[in-house]
Amino acid sequence: MSQPPPKKERVHFGTLEREGVALAKRKRQEEDIDNEGDGEDGGDDMLQLAESTKEDPRDLAGSTVDLDLIDESLGDAIDDQMNDESLERRRRAMDEFERKKLARSIAVPTADLEVRAQLRSLDHPVCLFGEDAGDRRGRLRYILSKIAIDQRKSAAPGDLEDVMTHGDAAEEEEEGGENEEFYTEGSEELRQARHKIAVYSLAHAGGRLERQRKDCEADLAVVRQRRQNLVKTLQSYTNDGSQVGGERPLARIVFSADSKALLVGSWSGAIKLWTVPQCKEVRTYRGHTDRVGGLSFRPQSAAIHALDTESTVVDFASGAADKTIHLWSAAKETPVATLHGHANRVVHVNFHPSGDFLGSASYDGSWRLWDIATQRELLLQEGHSREVFCLRFQCDGSLVATAGLDGVGRVWDLRSGRSVMALEGHAKEIFGLDWSPNGFHVATGSADNTVRVFDLRKLESICQIPAHKSMITDVRFFHAASLPPALAAANCSDDSTMMDTSTDRETNARLCSGQYLVSASNDGLVNVWTTGDWKLQKSLPGHVGKVMSVDVAGDGSYIASSGYDRTFKLWGPEDFA
């Protein structure tokens, strides 16, 4: 009669149970040895313990085993393993933290050609699929940081201190060399320009503050009535004129200082001058060979009056994708001067309030300051990690704001050259920017479909407006040169004594200045917002497709917009003839 096969041992925890049982056995025997002493018997016990460790773990299955001791032993082993893994994760996290910290201190070129050349010298691909200039610059920064970390790890213990102490000095030296063009002592022409700007801005800032103090003394009932009239007027805005402005999309539109003329820049490279409100073409200016992106009238320039003269005085400026800036006289169809220096597309130009200087923003990642009299470049300033798209001077002339495709705006002090505030908060690129006439509010429009308003006194964003359903291309405050005709008529009807003198008219115009903001978007709408409460008062549909630019006449009579549909339009109150 055959015997049944031996019953197999059931192991519930694999090798962990066997090892745990053996470990418990050894620990108990060690405790017995400690209790019996260190004599000869102890030596025999040690021999017996050594032999017992060679026993088959299955022989221990029937013995009495302290399960609590097994759990404790297994827990200690698992804890040790987890501690090792945790320490390894912490070490990797600290290494990555150290790499990122080091990466922030590494000076990386902003010019894309220099970034490509440095990647090539490091035997890395110059360009990856789907990579733009910003991504390429970030990849170079990552590679340089990894190289620096590897060098620190491979340094000998005696040299580690030298690497740590001299590494930062080398980085600072490299960074200083990279930014030397912008942070060393400027030219004598720049020093004189800064002094001239400081004198101009201090005088105008003092006058603005004095006027604002007087405006605070105005009768509250009069101010409230004027605000109601303004809202009523804005809500009555409608399309007063439309004209085809060229063969290609119209990228920029600006009013002259006297509000009698319009300049319209096209992607064809042509610039046309139109009368207001008749929308009749007066003259075509040709000089650019690629898309016009920037237009700016010189302050106090009367374009229509200058048509009858042969003057070569600069009346307006333009910038285009051909990397050039042209200075124009309204009386001549060809530029009177050309400014060279930008390495990429010029997307925005703006005259300083004094009329003596011109600012330009470019896709080469820099903005520049030019002297109109000498037609020379005074300042080349970097500070944005990507292309600079827009630039505006403050009304006093002391500050300039820039913004671009990095989604961050910056406010610069022209008197010292320092960046005094970062306009942060947008999730995407910034395409529009303007200063309020009050001198301390800045509005920015972004591809995240919002308008943000920043207060320089608080150094923060005070309002975020979900303004459109698509990216915002331009924003403009109303900068009053005189009281809007519709508001003047309304004020006269309310109080016949309010507008008796020219001083009263100037006061009323000043109180209306900056009271509303206009935004344009790719959703085809031009929206009008009152400031303070930031409420939408009127939405102006009419363009087919994207609205690319917007401007407000200095006398408040019209809002002008230009679009991708190759047309520009005038918007005004219904009761204004």
Side-chain angles (χ1 to χ4, degrees), residues 244-357:
V244 176
E247 299 176 352
R248 296 198 66 192
L250 308 181
R252 190 68 61 184
I253 188 168
V254 291
F255 278 102
S256 62
D258 57 6
S259 304
K260 302 296 184 182
L262 270 175
L263 272 180
V264 181
S266 170
W267 276 7
S268 65
I271 303 170
K272 294 185 178 182
L273 183 68
W274 303 79
T275 60
V276 176
Q278 298 83 6
C279 295
K280 292 183 179 180
E281 182 179 344
V282 178
R283 183 160 291 173
T284 300
Y285 304 93
R286 301 186 184 277
H288 289 294
T289 58
D290 206 340
R291 296 161 291 173
V292 174
L295 278 176
S296 179
F297 264 113
R298 196 174 187 179
Q300 293 82 41
S301 173
I304 297 298
H305 297 161
L307 292 176
D308 300 330
T309 69
E310 293 298 328
S311 173
T312 58
V313 176
V314 175
D315 291 312
F316 66 93
S318 64
D322 57 10
K323 309 176 186 178
T324 63
I325 300 170
H326 288 332
L327 304 180
W328 307 81
S329 171
K332 299 184 66 176
E333 295 184 356
T334 55
V336 297
T338 301
L339 307 179
H340 297 278
H342 281 293
N344 208 328
R345 172 185 174 189
V346 180
V347 288
H348 208 280
V349 294
N350 189 230
F351 272 100
H352 188 268
S354 66
D356 297 329
F357 308 101

Side-chain angles (χ1 to χ4, degrees), residues 194 197 352 367 369 393 397-400 412-417:
R194 293 197 190 280
I197 289 173
H352 188 268
W367 66 270
L369 186 68
F393 289 101
S398 60
L399 304 175
V400 61
W412 308 82
D413 189 341
L414 292 171
R415 299 163 296 186
S416 64

Side-chain angles (χ1 to χ4, degrees), residues 252-255 293-297 347-353 359-361 367 388-395 397-403 410-412 414 423 431-436 441-444 473-477 479 548-552:
R252 190 68 61 184
I253 188 168
V254 291
F255 278 102
L295 278 176
S296 179
F297 264 113
V347 288
H348 208 280
V349 294
N350 189 230
F351 272 100
H352 188 268
S360 60
W367 66 270
V388 185
F389 197 89
C390 44
L391 174 147
R392 293 280 184 188
F393 289 101
Q394 187 220 28
C395 56
S398 60
L399 304 175
V400 61
T402 60
R410 293 192 177 276
V411 179
W412 308 82
L414 292 171
L423 310 177
F431 293 109
L433 179 148
D434 196 25
W435 287 89
S436 170
H441 282 162
V442 184
T444 56
T473 55
D474 204 2
V475 291
R476 288 290 285 163
F477 281 99
H479 296 256
M548 304 181 72
S549 180
V550 70
D551 198 14
V552 184

Side-chain angles (χ1 to χ4, degrees), residues 310-570:
E310 293 298 328
S311 173
T312 58
V313 176
V314 175
D315 291 312
F316 66 93
S318 64
D322 57 10
K323 309 176 186 178
T324 63
I325 300 170
H326 288 332
L327 304 180
W328 307 81
S329 171
K332 299 184 66 176
E333 295 184 356
T334 55
V336 297
T338 301
L339 307 179
H340 297 278
H342 281 293
N344 208 328
R345 172 185 174 189
V346 180
V347 288
H348 208 280
V349 294
N350 189 230
F351 272 100
H352 188 268
S354 66
D356 297 329
F357 308 101
L358 179 74
S360 60
S362 170
Y363 267 29
D364 61 8
S366 71
W367 66 270
R368 308 191 184 207
L369 186 68
W370 308 83
D371 190 326
I372 298 300
T374 62
Q375 299 170 10
R376 295 182 60 182
E377 177 187 301
L378 297 175
L379 173 67
L380 186 157
Q381 181 65 63
E382 289 188 345
H384 292 272
S385 60
R386 295 187 62 186
E387 296 86 341
V388 185
F389 197 89
C390 44
L391 174 147
R392 293 280 184 188
F393 289 101
Q394 187 220 28
C395 56
D396 297 335
S398 60
L399 304 175
V400 61
T402 60
L405 305 191
D406 56 0
V408 177
R410 293 192 177 276
V411 179
W412 308 82
D413 189 341
L414 292 171
R415 299 163 296 186
S416 64
R418 295 182 177 181
S419 175
V420 296
M421 181 179 178
L423 310 177
E424 298 177 325
H426 284 294
K428 294 185 179 180
E429 301 89 343
I430 298 176
F431 293 109
L433 179 148
D434 196 25
W435 287 89
S436 170
N438 61 24
F440 50 81
H441 282 162
V442 184
T444 56
S446 169
D448 61 10
N449 309 344
T450 66
V451 172
R452 280 186 175 268
V453 182
F454 297 86
D455 193 326
L456 266 68
R457 301 169 301 178
K458 300 180 179 179
L459 297 178
E460 63 181 12
S461 173
I462 61 172
C463 182
Q464 180 181 11
I465 309 172
H468 290 271
K469 297 181 180 179
S470 186
M471 61 178 287
I472 296 171
T473 55
D474 204 2
V475 291
R476 288 290 285 163
F477 281 99
F478 169 47
H479 296 256
S482 60
L483 189 67
L487 291 181
N491 288 336
C492 286
S493 63
D494 294 332
D495 188 350
S496 58
T497 65
M498 187 183 301
M499 303 288 291
D500 287 342
T501 67
S502 60
T503 303
D504 293 332
R505 287 193 294 271
E506 292 176 2
T507 301
N508 285 300
R510 191 168 61 250
L511 290 175
C512 290
S513 185
Q515 291 298 306
Y516 61 92
L517 172 75
V518 182
S519 62
S521 170
N522 279 357
D523 60 8
L525 297 177
V526 176
N527 288 343
V528 185
W529 313 80
T530 49
T531 59
D533 55 7
W534 307 107
K535 290 184 179 180
L536 176 64
Q537 300 299 337
K538 188 68 175 181
S539 187
L540 304 172
H543 283 281
V544 180
K546 309 171 185 176
V547 183
M548 304 181 72
S549 180
V550 70
D551 198 14
V552 184
D555 62 2
S557 56
Y558 292 103
I559 295 173
S561 60
S562 64
Y564 198 80
D565 57 3
R566 300 178 293 115
T567 68
F568 70 90
K569 302 182 186 297
L570 291 178

Side-chain angles (χ1 to χ4, degrees), residues 52-70:
S52 65
T53 55
K54 300 179 182 180
E55 294 180 356
D56 189 346
R58 289 177 294 182
D59 296 339
L60 302 175
S63 62
T64 303
V65 179
D66 191 346
L67 297 180
D68 293 336
L69 183 58
I70 295 177

Side-chain angles (χ1 to χ4, degrees), residues 181-201:
E181 183 177 0
F182 309 104
Y183 295 100
T184 54
E185 184 178 358
S187 64
E188 177 62 22
E189 291 83 358
L190 178 59
R191 188 193 67 80
Q192 294 177 359
R194 293 197 190 280
H195 181 268
K196 187 175 183 179
I197 289 173
V199 173
Y200 177 91
S201 63

